[in-house]
Amino acid sequence: MTIKRWIAIIVAAALVFVSIGINSLSYIFTRDFNGFFEDMMATSSSGYEEAIIEEGTGKDKIAVLSLDGVIQDLGDTSSLFQSAGYNHQYFMNQLTEILEDTNVKGVVLEVNSPGGGVVESADIYDALRMIQVEREIPLYVSMGGMAASGGYYVSAPADKIFVNRETITGSIGVIMESVNYAKLAEKYGIDFNTIKTGPYKDIMSGSREMKDEERVMLQEMINDSYERFVDIIEEGRGMTEAEVKKVADGRIMNGRQAIEAGLADEFGKAGDVIAAMKEDYNLQDATVFEYTSLDSWTSILGVKAGNMFGGNIESELIGKLLNDYNAPRMMYLYGEK
C-alpha cells in the first residue's frame, strides 16, 4: 500500500472519530444522563429477538430476512465501519436461527444487493439449501431495486422469485480486478523492489504488467466459479445449461426481462410475496416476523450507531477505503467494486 493510500485512510479515520466524539457529546447533552445510560445498558446483552410484522395465531411462523448491501465479510471492521450495510456474520446467524426453529414454516428473503464475494455468496447459498433440505420449508425471494450477480446467486434456490418491473437483476458471472500503475510509476521514475519465492507470488501486482500465463491461470479460476454459478441456476430454476448461458454473459436485465428469461416467476413486492406464501402453503394464520439483534456494547459504534450518532457518511468512507485496498479477489458483483 502506497504512502498516499495510508494518508487517505488515516485522514478518513480521523474524520470518523472526530465526528463520533462531537456527535456523542451532542447526544449526551441533548438528553438527560439517566436516559443515556439506560440506552447504553439496553445494548449490553447479546442475541436475537423476533419483531412481529404480522400477528398470527398458533405456533407457525414465517421468517422475513433482509439481505441489503454488498455481500462481503469484513470481519471485525464490519461492526464499526459498516453501520448501515451488510454484516455477514449477523446474517448467517439468522439463517442458523431459522434452521433450529422448528416453528418457522417458511422463509421470505428480501434481496437488495449488487452481489459480492464468491465465498460469502456460497456461504449464504449453502445455508439456504440446508434449510430447504433439512427443514423442508419453502423459500420465496422478493427482489428489490437490485438483485444482481451474487444477489441472484443466493436467490437462485428459491421456490419462487418475485421481482418489481424496475428491478435490476442478472449480471451472472464472475469478475476479478486489479489496478496496473506500472507505466505511471515508470513515468515518474518510481522503482519497485520485489523479493519473492516464486515467479507468480506477485500475480496481479499493480507494479508490473500481467504475463500471458498468469492471465490463463486466473481465467481458469474464474471459469470454475462461473460454471458453479451456472450449475446453481440450472438446479434452482430447472433450466438447461444452454438456457442459462444464453443470458449468463454478464448482462443485466429488468424484472420483465428476468421473467421472460426464466430467471424469475412473478411481479410482486414484499407484501405480495408474504401473501403468496401464506396462500400457497396454507399459512394464513402464521405469524410473520423478522430478527432484530440485542446489541452488544460494540454495537454502539456498529449496526445501531446511526441511531445515536446520526448519519454514517464518515463510517462508510473509512469502510470503503479499508476494503478497496485489499488484495484482488473473485467477486460475484455488478457495478463499482
Side-chain angles (χ1 to χ4, degrees):
M1 189 178 294
T2 65
I3 294 176
K4 289 184 177 179
R5 289 175 177 174
W6 275 115
I7 292 174
I9 290 177
I10 292 170
V11 170
L15 287 173
V16 172
F17 289 110
V18 168
S19 175
I20 287 174
I22 293 173
N23 285 300
S24 297
L25 291 173
S26 173
Y27 179 86
I28 293 171
F29 287 110
T30 54
R31 297 175 53 109
D32 62 272
F33 281 94
N34 287 334
F36 173 74
F37 285 110
E38 286 175 2
D39 287 346
M40 294 287 282
M41 292 303 296
T43 62
S44 63
S45 58
S46 62
Y48 297 87
E49 64 180 356
E50 297 177 6
I52 304 300
I53 299 174
E54 296 178 11
E55 190 71 59
T57 59
K59 294 183 178 180
D60 290 350
K61 298 185 294 186
I62 295 174
V64 177
L65 302 180
S66 178
L67 198 166
D68 191 1
V70 178
I71 305 169
Q72 55 186 337
D73 187 358
L74 299 181
D76 292 338
T77 65
S78 62
S79 62
L80 178 57
F81 298 122
Q82 294 266 307
S83 58
Y86 172 78
N87 184 309
H88 188 60
Q89 192 55 57
Y90 175 74
F91 190 78
M92 295 302 297
N93 289 345
Q94 293 178 63
L95 296 177
T96 299
E97 292 283 344
I98 290 172
L99 183 63
E100 296 175 351
D101 189 345
T102 57
N103 291 324
V104 174
K105 304 301 182 182
V107 179
V108 171
L109 176 61
E110 298 178 349
V111 180
N112 186 32
S113 171
V118 297
V119 173
E120 294 93 333
S121 300
D123 284 345
I124 297 172
Y125 172 84
D126 291 341
L128 289 172
R129 287 295 294 136
M130 185 176 295
I131 290 170
Q132 288 178 305
V133 172
E134 294 193 9
R135 293 291 324 287
E136 297 183 340
I137 59 177
L139 167 66
Y140 280 12
V141 164
S142 172
M143 292 185 171
M146 179 175 290
S149 202
Y152 190 83
Y153 186 105
V154 301
S155 303
D159 297 280
K160 280 188 179 181
I161 296 177
F162 293 75
V163 292
N164 294 310
R165 293 185 181 277
E166 306 305 326
T167 294
I168 294 176
T169 188
S171 188
I172 298 167
V174 193
I175 189 169
M176 189 177 189
E177 292 182 326
S178 68
V179 176
N180 182 358
Y181 46 80
K183 291 182 179 178
L184 180 64
E186 182 180 355
K187 178 180 178 180
Y188 288 97
I190 300 173
D191 293 324
F192 297 92
N193 297 315
T194 303
I195 301 171
K196 54 187 180 180
T197 56
Y200 306 120
K201 182 58 180 172
D202 62 342
I203 194 168
M204 288 195 81
S205 169
S207 64
R208 65 173 178 81
E209 296 287 338
M210 182 182 292
K211 300 175 183 178
D212 290 341
E213 60 266 32
E214 293 175 330
R215 189 175 296 276
V216 171
M217 292 176 186
L218 295 173
Q219 189 64 57
E220 183 178 358
M221 291 170 53
I222 291 288
N223 291 346
D224 282 347
S225 294
Y226 171 75
E227 292 298 335
R228 282 194 292 273
F229 200 160
V230 170
D231 290 343
I232 280 169
I233 298 174
E234 288 180 50
E235 179 182 358
R237 299 300 302 168
M239 300 170 67
T240 66
E241 180 178 353
E243 289 172 333
V244 175
K245 288 191 172 181
K246 184 177 179 180
V247 293
D249 53 7
R251 74 181 69 183
I252 59 171
M253 57 192 75
N254 62 24
R256 174 188 61 79
Q257 293 169 319
I259 291 176
E260 291 177 356
L263 297 179
D265 298 292
E266 302 178 25
F267 293 116
K269 298 183 179 180
D272 303 318
V273 179
I274 293 171
M277 177 171 284
K278 285 185 173 183
E279 179 67 25
D280 294 345
Y281 291 90
N282 193 27
L283 293 170
Q284 288 87 348
D285 296 329
T287 294
V288 182
F289 76 97
E290 61 184 353
Y291 291 111
T292 58
S293 64
L294 296 173
D295 300 306
S296 64
W297 281 84
T298 57
S299 296
I300 294 297
L301 298 178
V303 176
K304 300 301 182 181
N307 295 337
M308 179 174 175
F309 300 134
N312 63 348
I313 295 175
E314 298 93 340
S315 61
E316 289 181 0
L317 172 61
I318 185 63
K320 180 173 176 58
L321 282 169
L322 287 173
N323 185 61
D324 281 356
Y325 297 118
N326 283 334
R329 62 178 188 146
M330 291 186 292
M331 304 284 283
Y332 297 133
L333 183 65
Y334 166 70
E336 181 186 7
K337 182 181 175 189

